[in-house]
Amino acid sequence: MAGEQKGKAKAEQAKGKVKETVGRAVGNERLEAEGRAEQSKGDARQAKEKTKDVFKH
């Protein structure tokens, strides 16, 4: 399960980065903001999983 969550975090971060980059390239501020938000969501998920890992060991 933890591996699945880590994968989701990486996917959210990557998808967010793509959205942010495309939004910036075409001048779409909404898409750029969505991308940043998605990256943040992925970062939060990754931090949560890292915290779980610390307490497992």
Side-chain angles (χ1 to χ4, degrees), residues 19-53:
K19 276 187 178 180
E20 181 183 10
T21 302
V22 169
R24 189 176 300 130
V26 298
N28 185 330
E29 291 179 11
R30 183 184 62 82
L31 187 60
E32 192 176 343
E34 279 180 21
R36 281 193 303 272
E38 212 162 310
Q39 284 182 71
S40 294
K41 185 177 173 185
D43 291 344
R45 185 186 304 267
Q46 186 175 34
K48 181 178 93 174
E49 291 304 315
K50 284 183 179 181
T51 301
K52 284 182 186 178
D53 287 345

